[in-house]
């Protein structure tokens, strides 16, 4: 007989609304003879709700694995789930070869993340239930993808909350861990062993393409016109030699390996300044600029963005487009007030650096910060900077990061494009 997790009578009916977690505090009692961690999650009357992985060491004491009592959770089950997740990506992103193929709870594989970089898979196992079944997982991944290699990137502190050690390395035979993927026709270098997270951030894929309308049309604002014979001339009548004279001057803050920079150049930017605190990320960004033929339109600054923005405001520097894609400042609810101050600060300074009519592109990947709070703080920064904001677009993570509507944790990325007007 499989064990049973009895839930309290007076808990919020979160599980029934599609949320995949049971917190320790919601459990009435456990009824189990065996040590198997796969249990039946039942309500206070014993009514079956779901099968789930039980982990008494974690605050998230149970994670929903399957809503059907008769399902058998074995290697074939994993293979079916992974196959479904992959089919979904192929349908939504035709021709895609590199993307997030499994996004944990949102793909009904709680605590499992798999990123596909061409024929290489990078795996993160973030729950004890998944860790215990790692052999099945790797078997299922091999069957579905027949990859040239699998790399485990479990060097993440959240594993400790599940009672798991940090680890990383090859699963099976070794292979070259620096590779090149393609995104929106750009060639992007990824280091799956040493790069941040699993090597690259797929969640902004579609958002990066939204830069396009804002990358040209700026030269005319600067008084450059096209004279007879098609030659661009400046306000004094002098010929302009830079073929990208109409392109935007872009400040890409928290650039990492240059995902936004590459798209900005692709769409016609005149110059992109990448700022990141990681020397290694900037090295890869430079390599990416070189490999795509954009090096002469880029510059790279290794700095803390908070300091850099203030220094540039003091120096009176201006840009046409400022991009802010920081790491999650709020990793938990307690950190939220400090994080809000951080987000507000960079948005405020970023706006001050814009020329009149400039574009602010601002993101946040802290799920603790709601979309509403995020918009409120960006607006607050605009008020302080004496600017009027007009929202062009508000988006979330890309199609390979599904959102379970009953689980706000899966809806973490906010991405806004704003036109920034002067108020004085
Ligand atoms: N925009 C990137 C992803 C950004 S990830 C893309 O499209 O791929 C966040 C980046 O912020 C990381 O590269 C990290 O090195 C950098 N970072 C974190 N804190 C920083 C700080 N205070 N100043 C500058 N960079 C920082």
């Amino acid at each position: 007989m499989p064990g049973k997790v009895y839930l309290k009578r007076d808990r919020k009916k979160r599980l029934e609304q599609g949320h995949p977690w049971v917190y320790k505090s919601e459990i009435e009692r456990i009824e189990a003879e065996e040590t198997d961690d796969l249990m039946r999650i039942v309500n206070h009357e014993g009514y079956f709700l779901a099968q789930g992985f039980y982990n008494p060491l974690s605050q998230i004491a149970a994670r929903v694995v399957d809503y059907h009592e008769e399902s058998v959770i074995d290697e074939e089950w994993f293979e079916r789930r992974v196959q479904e997740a992959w089919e979904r990506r192929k349908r939504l992103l035709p021709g895609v070869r590199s993307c997030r193929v499994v996004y944990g709870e949102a793909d009904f594989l709680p605590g499992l993340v798999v990123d596909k970089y061409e024929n290489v898979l990078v795996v993160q196992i973030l729950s004890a239930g998944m860790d215990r079944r790692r052999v099945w997982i790797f078997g299922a991944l091999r069957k579905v993808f027949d990859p040239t290699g699998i790399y485990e990137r479990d060097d993440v502190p959240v594993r400790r909350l599940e009672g798991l050690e940090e680890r990383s390395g090859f699963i099976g035979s070794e292979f070259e861990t620096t590779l090149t993927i393609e995104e929106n026709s750009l060639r992007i270098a990824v280091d799956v062993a040493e790069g941040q997270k699993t090597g690259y951030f797929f969640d902004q894929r579609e958002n990066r393409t939204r830069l396009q309308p804002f990358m040209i049309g700026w030269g005319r604002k600067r008084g450059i016109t096209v004279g007879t014979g098609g030659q661009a001339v400046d306000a004094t009548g002098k010929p302009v030699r830079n073929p990208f004279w109409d392109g935007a001057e872009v400040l890409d803050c928290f650039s990492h390996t240059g995902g936004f920079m590459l798209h900005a150049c692709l769409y016609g930017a005149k110059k992109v300044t990448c700022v990141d605190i990681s020397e290694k990320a900037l090295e890869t960004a430079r390599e990416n600029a070189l490999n795509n033929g954009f090096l002469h339109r880029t510059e790279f600054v290794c700095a803390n963005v908070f300091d850099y923005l203030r220094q540039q405001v003091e120096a009176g520097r201006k840009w046409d487009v400022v991009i802010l894609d920081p790491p999650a400042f709020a990793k938990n609810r307690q950190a939220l007030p400090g994080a809000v101050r951080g987000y507000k600060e960079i948005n405020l300074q970023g706006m001050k650096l814009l020329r009149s009519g400039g574009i602010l592109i601002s993101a946040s990947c802290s799920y603790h910060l709601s979309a509403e709070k995020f918009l409120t703080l960006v607006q607050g920064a605009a008020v302080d900077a004496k600017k009027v904001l007009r929202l062009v677009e508000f988006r979330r993570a890309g199609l390979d990061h599904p959102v379970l509507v009953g689980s706000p944790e899966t809806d973490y990325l906010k991405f806004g494009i704003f036109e920034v007007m002067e108020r004085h």
Side-chain angles (χ1 to χ4, degrees):
M1 270 296 280
K4 283 185 183 165
V5 178
Y6 280 85
L7 302 187
K8 285 184 182 159
R9 181 195 201 113
D10 60 350
R11 81 209 140 89
K12 254 204 210 144
K13 300 276 177 295
R14 207 162 339 113
L15 198 140
E16 288 87 331
Q17 289 156 16
H19 196 283
W21 294 347
V22 173
Y23 291 105
K24 233 178 190 167
S25 58
E26 296 173 308
I27 295 177
E28 177 74 50
R29 69 194 155 94
I30 305 292
E31 205 181 87
E33 292 156 13
E34 308 165 31
T35 54
D36 191 1
D37 62 342
L38 183 69
M39 300 228 199
R40 304 282 186 260
I41 304 172
V42 299
N43 74 2
H44 63 283
E45 290 172 323
Y47 180 82
F48 174 85
L49 297 173
Q51 295 192 53
F53 292 141
Y54 174 65
N55 179 5
L57 297 177
S58 174
Q59 283 307 313
I60 304 169
R63 296 174 190 246
V64 172
V65 173
D66 198 299
Y67 289 111
H68 303 283
E69 195 161 13
E70 63 281 7
S71 295
V72 179
I73 314 302
D74 54 11
E75 186 167 340
E76 280 75 49
W77 180 91
F78 276 94
E79 193 185 326
R80 280 195 305 276
R81 283 272 155 105
V82 170
Q83 187 74 45
E84 272 165 27
W86 177 222
E87 293 304 326
R88 184 182 183 279
R89 272 51 174 196
K90 287 195 284 188
R91 165 186 274 173
L92 292 173
L93 302 163
V96 75
R97 295 199 306 272
S98 300
C99 69
R100 176 152 293 185
V101 287
V102 174
Y103 180 41
E105 278 73 350
D107 280 303
F108 307 107
L109 287 160
L112 178 67
V113 171
V114 183
D115 284 339
K116 180 177 184 294
Y117 296 102
E118 290 288 328
N119 294 321
V120 162
L121 300 177
V122 183
V123 178
Q124 281 189 315
I125 299 177
L126 308 173
S127 69
M130 283 290 160
D131 203 65
R132 201 158 155 173
R133 291 159 182 84
R134 43 194 294 120
V135 174
W136 286 351
I137 293 171
F138 296 131
L141 290 174
R142 287 214 170 83
K143 280 208 190 104
V144 174
F145 296 103
D146 189 22
T148 50
I150 302 180
Y151 201 88
E152 180 178 11
R153 282 297 300 269
D154 280 335
D155 46 341
V156 280
V158 285
R159 273 174 62 94
R160 300 199 178 270
L161 303 178
E162 287 280 308
L164 302 168
E165 295 281 291
E166 292 186 31
R167 57 192 287 178
S168 63
F170 294 101
I171 302 300
S173 44
E174 296 194 5
F175 55 91
E176 178 55 55
T177 52
T178 54
L179 41 98
T180 304
I181 60 162
E182 205 177 275
E183 178 180 282
N184 305 315
S185 84
L186 293 158
R187 291 166 55 76
I188 299 174
V190 178
D191 183 339
V192 299
E194 301 289 327
Q196 295 182 29
K197 301 280 170 79
T198 69
Y200 186 64
F201 296 93
F202 284 125
D203 55 358
Q204 298 274 27
R205 176 199 293 99
E206 289 90 334
N207 296 341
R208 293 183 185 111
T209 68
R210 304 310 301 152
L211 295 185
Q212 183 160 20
F214 306 105
M215 289 301 114
I216 54 167
W218 301 94
R220 289 179 180 86
K221 287 191 175 196
R222 288 192 260 279
I224 298 175
T225 49
V226 182
T228 48
Q231 172 65 57
V233 290
D234 69 14
T236 66
K238 249 189 26 220
V240 175
R241 292 195 203 292
N242 185 343
F244 295 98
W245 60 269
D246 201 26
E249 290 175 6
V250 180
L251 177 60
D252 180 7
C253 297
F254 309 96
S255 66
H256 190 233
T257 55
F260 282 100
M261 169 272 287
L262 294 170
H263 286 78
C265 289
L266 176 69
Y267 301 136
K270 185 173 157 210
K271 182 97 187 197
V272 185
T273 307
C274 288
V275 186
D276 201 287
I277 206 159
S278 158
E279 194 83 63
K280 175 161 168 57
L282 286 177
E283 225 172 82
T284 308
R286 183 193 296 275
E287 181 190 335
N288 283 334
L290 178 71
N291 290 344
N292 288 280
F294 302 148
L295 195 57
H296 59 298
R297 284 193 279 152
T298 54
E299 66 178 353
F300 302 89
V301 182
C302 188
N304 183 328
V305 164
F306 285 85
D307 302 334
Y308 182 82
L309 290 176
R310 259 182 257 123
Q311 287 157 7
Q312 301 310 305
V313 169
E314 253 165 54
R317 279 275 299 271
K318 296 283 176 192
W319 278 270
D320 302 315
V321 178
V322 170
I323 302 168
L324 303 167
D325 183 22
F329 290 157
K331 296 241 185 337
N332 52 52
R333 193 161 296 282
Q334 294 72 30
L336 193 56
V340 168
R341 282 194 296 277
Y343 286 119
K344 188 167 172 192
E345 164 71 8
I346 55 173
N347 280 277
L348 173 68
Q349 305 301 340
M351 278 182 224
K352 288 186 187 166
L353 290 174
L354 284 172
R355 296 194 177 98
S356 178
I359 301 292
L360 176 75
I361 296 181
S362 186
S364 161
C365 56
S366 301
Y367 104 82
H368 296 283
L369 181 69
S370 66
E372 206 187 329
K373 279 206 193 92
F374 175 69
L375 275 178
T376 305
L377 78 83
V378 178
Q379 165 65 6
V383 173
D384 292 358
K386 295 198 170 59
K387 309 275 186 184
V388 173
L389 281 190
R390 189 159 67 180
L391 181 63
V392 183
E393 273 198 78
F394 197 72
R395 303 171 56 91
R396 12 174 69 99
L399 292 165
D400 52 351
H401 289 63
V403 172
L404 270 187
V405 180
S407 164
E409 293 84 356
T410 59
D411 188 16
Y412 65 98
L413 186 65
K414 290 137 296 266
F415 175 89
I417 302 182
F418 306 90
E419 294 166 293
V420 183
M421 271 84 106
E422 303 290 327
R423 189 154 62 75
H424 53 256

